[in-house]
Short mmCIF file of all heavy atoms in Angstrom, two decimals:
data_model
loop_
_atom_site.label_atom_id
_atom_site.label_comp_id
_atom_site.label_asym_id
_atom_site.label_seq_id
_atom_site.Cartn_x
_atom_site.Cartn_y
_atom_site.Cartn_z
N CYS A 282 -59.38 20.24 42.00
CA CYS A 282 -59.94 19.05 42.73
C CYS A 282 -61.30 19.16 43.14
O CYS A 282 -61.66 20.13 43.84
CB CYS A 282 -59.06 18.78 44.04
SG CYS A 282 -59.72 17.57 45.19
N LEU A 283 -62.14 18.31 42.57
CA LEU A 283 -63.62 18.54 42.89
C LEU A 283 -64.00 18.35 44.30
O LEU A 283 -64.88 19.07 44.76
CB LEU A 283 -64.38 17.47 41.99
CG LEU A 283 -64.50 17.93 40.49
CD1 LEU A 283 -65.13 16.71 39.68
CD2 LEU A 283 -65.47 19.11 40.30
N LEU A 284 -63.34 17.52 44.98
CA LEU A 284 -63.63 17.35 46.35
C LEU A 284 -63.31 18.63 47.11
O LEU A 284 -64.24 18.97 47.94
CB LEU A 284 -62.76 16.10 46.89
CG LEU A 284 -63.04 15.78 48.40
CD1 LEU A 284 -64.39 15.17 48.47
CD2 LEU A 284 -61.89 14.62 48.72
N SER A 344 -55.57 19.88 42.91
CA SER A 344 -55.33 18.53 43.34
C SER A 344 -53.87 18.59 44.02
O SER A 344 -52.95 19.06 43.56
CB SER A 344 -55.29 17.57 42.25
OG SER A 344 -54.85 16.35 42.74
N ASP A 348 -53.56 15.09 49.59
CA ASP A 348 -55.06 15.12 49.92
C ASP A 348 -55.85 14.25 49.09
O ASP A 348 -57.02 13.98 49.30
CB ASP A 348 -55.55 16.55 49.76
CG ASP A 348 -55.00 17.53 50.68
OD1 ASP A 348 -54.86 17.10 51.75
OD2 ASP A 348 -54.82 18.70 50.30
N CYS A 349 -55.27 13.73 48.08
CA CYS A 349 -56.13 12.97 47.06
C CYS A 349 -56.36 11.47 47.56
O CYS A 349 -55.43 10.84 47.96
CB CYS A 349 -55.33 12.95 45.63
SG CYS A 349 -56.33 12.07 44.49
N ILE A 350 -57.52 11.12 47.48
CA ILE A 350 -58.00 9.87 47.99
C ILE A 350 -58.42 8.93 46.96
O ILE A 350 -58.99 7.87 47.12
CB ILE A 350 -59.17 9.99 49.03
CG1 ILE A 350 -60.32 10.83 48.54
CG2 ILE A 350 -58.60 10.55 50.36
CD1 ILE A 350 -61.34 10.83 49.46
N GLY A 351 -57.96 9.27 45.63
CA GLY A 351 -58.25 8.44 44.48
C GLY A 351 -59.57 7.76 44.41
O GLY A 351 -60.53 8.38 44.41
N CYS A 354 -62.60 8.39 46.42
CA CYS A 354 -63.16 9.87 46.35
C CYS A 354 -64.65 9.75 45.78
O CYS A 354 -64.82 9.10 44.83
CB CYS A 354 -62.27 10.66 45.43
SG CYS A 354 -62.92 12.20 45.09
N PHE A 356 -66.09 11.86 44.00
CA PHE A 356 -66.22 12.45 42.70
C PHE A 356 -65.10 11.71 41.73
O PHE A 356 -64.76 12.29 40.79
CB PHE A 356 -65.62 13.87 42.93
CG PHE A 356 -66.61 14.68 43.78
CD1 PHE A 356 -66.21 15.02 45.04
CD2 PHE A 356 -67.84 14.97 43.38
CE1 PHE A 356 -67.12 15.68 45.91
CE2 PHE A 356 -68.71 15.85 44.20
CZ PHE A 356 -68.31 16.12 45.49
N CYS A 360 -63.62 13.18 38.38
CA CYS A 360 -62.42 13.85 38.61
C CYS A 360 -61.57 14.21 37.40
O CYS A 360 -61.31 13.35 36.56
CB CYS A 360 -61.51 12.91 39.56
SG CYS A 360 -59.93 13.59 39.74
N LEU A 362 -58.48 15.21 37.12
CA LEU A 362 -57.07 14.63 37.09
C LEU A 362 -57.03 13.22 36.72
O LEU A 362 -56.28 12.83 35.83
CB LEU A 362 -56.45 14.84 38.56
CG LEU A 362 -55.06 14.25 38.61
CD1 LEU A 362 -54.02 15.25 38.11
CD2 LEU A 362 -54.62 13.88 40.04
N LEU A 363 -57.99 12.40 37.30
CA LEU A 363 -58.05 11.03 37.04
C LEU A 363 -58.38 10.84 35.47
O LEU A 363 -57.79 9.87 34.74
CB LEU A 363 -58.98 10.26 37.86
CG LEU A 363 -58.68 10.31 39.38
CD1 LEU A 363 -59.68 9.46 40.13
CD2 LEU A 363 -57.29 9.69 39.66
S1 LIG B 16 -59.77 11.84 43.09
FE1 LIG B 16 -58.46 13.26 44.16
S2 LIG B 16 -57.99 14.81 42.77
FE2 LIG B 16 -59.86 13.86 42.04
S3 LIG B 16 -61.56 15.01 42.95
FE3 LIG B 16 -61.00 13.22 44.34
S4 LIG B 16 -59.55 13.98 45.78
FE4 LIG B 16 -59.78 15.61 44.23
#
Side-chain angles (χ1 to χ4, degrees):
C282 168
L283 279 172
L284 183 64
S344 173
D348 293 328
C349 182
I350 51 175
C354 174
F356 301 101
C360 171
L362 180 81
L363 297 182

